[in-house]
Amino acid sequence: MSIRLRQIALVANKLAPVIDDLKGVFGLEVCYIDPGVGAFGLENSLLPVGNNFIEVVAPIKDGTAGGRYLKRRGGDGGYMVICQCESHAAQLERRERALSMNIRIAWERESGGYHVMQLHPADTGGSFFEIDWDAKGEPEGNWEPAGGSGWRKAKRTEIVSAYSAVELQSPDPAGLAERWSKIAGVPLRKDARGRLEMPLDNASVRFVAATDGRGEGLSGIDMVIADRARLNAAADRRGHKISGDQLTICGTRFYLVAPNR
């Protein structure tokens, strides 16, 4: 494992409706609620998607970073790209590389065998780029932000089996791609549609032009669909329109992709 997409965070004005949509449409379940985010004036829930996670956070008081982010981007949307790297040394190397690029560290904490490092979204292009190290080194197992290893009992793969990409939008997608590539130390490539992407061990970070008026940020997630008929029916019951292979939840475009696509 060199660097792996482990968790995608969304931010919402209200937590419960978004969690209900993710559960109702994608058949997911909540595995963990982190009391620690209360220190940032937030509440959250995590849901396993395959062996990784979608987190949703929402402000519970005024003056939070999450609340400011909601105002800047005009409502609910993507928030953080959270990765796990293979060693503490590799994480620290990426930390030094980011600092050499004048990218600020928004927050970090090291305790025991876990070190979280969040890079400032104003410097990384509208989304937090978080690179964490977990001494247990289980790329599909133990994960401290999800409470350890007990999350497996909430894993549901009947409708969605995994996610395969996260999408970042920018007025300058090539420049944003180069910045993330340099931080991560991962060469860029083009996908089948000619879009720039940074391949990680289990998924890709894709870079596209911002065309929706919301500026830079995390704009989409590719969801690998195991049962499209069940998803279609569930989305219809909850009043979510699917346009082609796309629907929107929490201000985020969810792209419905087939396995092995």
Side-chain angles (χ1 to χ4, degrees):
M1 179 182 64
S2 57
I3 186 167
R4 182 180 185 87
L5 179 61
R6 198 72 203 271
Q7 185 172 319
I8 299 169
L10 312 179
V11 61
N13 278 291
K14 298 294 182 184
L15 181 66
V18 174
I19 296 301
D20 288 346
D21 278 342
L22 294 174
K23 292 168 65 175
V25 174
F26 295 122
L28 305 175
E29 291 294 338
V30 171
C31 67
Y32 187 63
I33 296 171
D34 184 0
V37 301
F40 303 100
L42 302 170
E43 61 179 346
N44 83 336
S45 293
L46 275 82
L47 307 94
V49 182
N51 292 320
N52 304 297
F53 306 92
I54 288 177
E55 176 189 15
V56 185
V57 302
I60 54 175
K61 64 180 184 181
D62 294 334
T64 66
R68 290 190 294 272
Y69 196 88
L70 286 165
K71 289 180 182 178
R72 184 177 69 78
R73 297 209 70 221
D76 296 0
Y79 194 41
M80 294 183 173
V81 177
I82 302 171
C83 295
Q84 179 179 2
C85 65
E86 78 278 18
S87 70
H88 203 189
Q91 182 202 37
L92 294 176
E93 180 182 344
R94 291 174 173 118
R95 182 184 189 277
E96 292 307 309
R97 191 180 299 133
L99 291 174
S100 74
M101 297 166 62
N102 296 316
I103 292 170
R104 291 165 289 172
I105 295 172
W107 183 72
E108 68 179 329
R109 177 178 61 87
E110 185 166 358
S111 59
Y114 186 78
H115 183 183
V116 54
M117 180 185 69
Q118 294 177 355
L119 302 179
H120 202 293
D123 300 337
T124 57
S127 172
F128 284 91
F129 186 9
E130 180 173 324
I131 303 172
D132 297 348
W133 167 73
D134 186 333
K136 291 192 176 180
E138 298 177 4
E140 297 188 344
N142 184 82
W143 184 235
E144 185 177 286
S149 58
W151 59 268
R152 291 183 180 92
K153 61 182 178 294
K155 179 178 173 179
R156 303 287 183 271
T157 57
E158 294 84 0
I159 297 177
V160 175
S161 61
Y163 48 64
S164 58
V166 61
E167 179 182 270
L168 300 180
Q169 66 177 33
S170 169
D172 178 18
L176 182 61
E178 290 290 345
R179 194 180 323 159
W180 279 57
S181 171
K182 187 174 180 180
I183 294 167
V186 176
L188 297 169
R189 68 184 184 191
K190 289 188 177 180
D191 68 9
R193 293 174 53 184
R195 301 170 297 186
L196 282 170
E197 66 177 8
M198 182 175 73
L200 305 180
D201 285 7
N202 62 324
S204 295
V205 181
R206 182 171 64 241
F207 303 89
V208 301
T211 59
D212 59 8
R214 300 191 68 189
E216 289 186 317
L218 194 167
S219 54
I221 304 171
D222 288 12
M223 301 287 271
V224 180
I225 306 305
D227 192 329
R228 181 63 186 264
R230 284 182 63 182
L231 186 146
N232 289 348
D236 185 63
R237 285 194 300 270
R238 296 197 63 83
H240 284 285
K241 180 178 178 171
I242 297 176
S243 178
D245 290 323
Q246 177 183 323
L247 78 159
T248 300
I249 295 174
C250 194
T252 304
R253 296 186 287 272
F254 285 85
Y255 302 103
L256 313 177
V257 302
N260 300 318
R261 177 173 168 180

